[in-house]
Amino acid sequence: MMEELHDVQLTEIKPLLTGQNGRNLQDFDCQEHDVETSHGVLHVTMRGAAKGNRPTILTYHDIGLNHKSCFNSLFNYEDMQEVTQHFSVLHVDAPGQQENAPVFPTGYQYPTMDELAAMLPSVLKQLQVKSVIGIGVGAGAYVLTKLSLNEPTLVEGLVLIDVDPCAKGWMDWAASKLSGWTSNLVDMIMGHHFSTEELTENKEIIQTYRLHISQDVPLDNLAMFYNSYSSRTELQIERPIPGLNENTVNTLRCPALLVVGDTSPAVDVVVECNSRLNPTKTTLLKLVRGRVFSPDVLLCVSTRWQTAEDFLRWCSLEN
């Protein structure tokens, strides 16, 4: 793999696949679980059964979304069906972010980002998942990176969309605290997802995500997840030096694909993350004039892996 930035022009995308009565394919062959962990309960949705020794695709959404609003479009696209024929899929909803989630009681202590990552090995063990390929967006990408750093044998590969390895600077933290007096939570999260240019130009997409963010999750629960992400610590990752510290430096051991849209607010931090990773195992992909939310992620995946066999080969899993 190469470390340089690849620009990918978005082209025509194939339509969503639906079942009878227009239901999403994600609604079929799914089992929901509430899994107890040392840091609380996680709501997860398992699609399909484990395929032999192959890993399970593990998804983790961004703030303001849940697994359905973040990933359903991706996994319902026609081109993705060949991949899901070969892999089971485990969707994780951060605590209190799932559909119809109850509001947390007064005094509830929301898990830190480190604790969110620490919850996952227990979930995988209880569901008898031996290894995963992670697909994470924003906060979810951070959590899955943490998982891979903590438990490298569990993670076979990562697709990290809009990943930010940096802690929130004190000036950013202060600005968000001050802006909280005049801006509502939905506006702050919209600013996390979209650039100023996108907020003014892409009216239809903006309205869609504004509705998701304001209606899908209880706002008190959402504020807790947002504050947890805003309080994250810096990811302790360092680019290895060939012939010197490849086996000892703290870095990702699995192949990683970093994805960002060219107008995303996360462009600079994704490039920064790439600079800290092993260039022989990392690819950085920039979507030109494209969002990296669910529909366009498909194009990124399709560009890198034309078939499920390519996906297997990328993860060094092909026999």
Side-chain angles (χ1 to χ4, degrees), residues 97-153:
Q97 311 303 300
Q98 71 271 22
E99 280 190 339
N100 303 314
V103 177
F104 288 124
T106 302
Y108 174 79
Q109 185 67 41
Y110 201 85
T112 66
M113 297 301 288
D114 288 355
E115 289 170 342
L116 290 177
M119 297 168 84
L120 295 176
S122 174
V123 172
L124 299 179
K125 182 177 181 180
Q126 292 183 58
L127 296 180
Q128 299 182 325
V129 174
K130 296 180 179 179
S131 64
V132 300
I133 298 167
I135 303 179
V137 182
Y142 180 99
V143 170
L144 294 183
T145 303
K146 267 287 194 184
L147 171 66
S148 184
L149 292 171
N150 294 341
E151 304 284 349
T153 59

Side-chain angles (χ1 to χ4, degrees), residues 82-303:
E82 185 175 1
V83 171
T84 55
Q85 287 174 8
H86 292 78
F87 298 90
S88 56
V89 181
L90 178 61
H91 298 294
V92 175
D93 289 310
Q97 311 303 300
Q98 71 271 22
E99 280 190 339
N100 303 314
V103 177
F104 288 124
T106 302
Y108 174 79
Q109 185 67 41
Y110 201 85
T112 66
M113 297 301 288
D114 288 355
E115 289 170 342
L116 290 177
M119 297 168 84
L120 295 176
S122 174
V123 172
L124 299 179
K125 182 177 181 180
Q126 292 183 58
L127 296 180
Q128 299 182 325
V129 174
K130 296 180 179 179
S131 64
V132 300
I133 298 167
I135 303 179
V137 182
Y142 180 99
V143 170
L144 294 183
T145 303
K146 267 287 194 184
L147 171 66
S148 184
L149 292 171
N150 294 341
E151 304 284 349
T153 59
L154 283 180
V155 183
E156 303 278 2
L158 287 171
V159 181
L160 303 174
I161 302 155
D162 283 1
V163 62
D164 185 349
C166 306
K168 195 167 189 178
W170 73 267
M171 291 186 67
D172 293 331
W173 177 87
S176 69
K177 292 297 181 183
L178 290 173
S179 66
W181 295 103
T182 56
S183 301
N184 64 45
L185 177 66
V186 174
D187 288 335
M188 289 189 286
I189 293 177
M190 291 296 289
H192 162 77
H193 287 300
F194 297 97
S195 66
T196 302
E197 177 185 355
E198 290 172 317
L199 286 170
T200 57
E201 291 184 357
N202 298 329
K203 299 294 186 182
E204 185 175 347
I205 294 176
I206 295 305
Q207 182 62 17
T208 297
Y209 278 91
R210 182 175 290 278
L211 288 173
H212 277 306
I213 291 166
S214 62
Q215 297 179 6
D216 287 1
V217 176
L219 290 182
D220 287 346
N221 293 8
L222 177 54
M224 292 184 185
F225 187 23
Y226 176 83
N227 289 334
S228 180
Y229 183 59
S230 295
S231 303
R232 66 191 179 276
T233 58
E234 185 159 334
L235 290 173
Q236 298 302 308
I237 50 176
E238 181 181 349
R239 172 164 287 194
I241 301 173
L244 182 62
N245 63 355
E246 294 103 324
N247 297 323
T248 58
V249 70
N250 198 41
T251 191
L252 294 178
R253 302 296 173 185
C254 64
L257 175 63
L258 277 55
V259 188
V260 67
D262 64 344
T263 59
S264 168
V267 168
D268 291 342
V269 293
V270 172
V271 172
E272 168 67 18
C273 187
N274 179 68
S275 72
R276 302 186 191 182
L277 296 175
N278 187 338
T280 66
K281 292 189 174 183
T282 307
T283 297
L284 177 56
L285 188 63
K286 183 174 72 172
L287 304 182
V288 178
R289 292 200 299 276
R291 286 304 307 162
V292 293
F293 287 112
S294 299
D296 293 345
V297 172
L298 169 72
L299 297 172
C300 147
V301 173
S302 297
T303 300

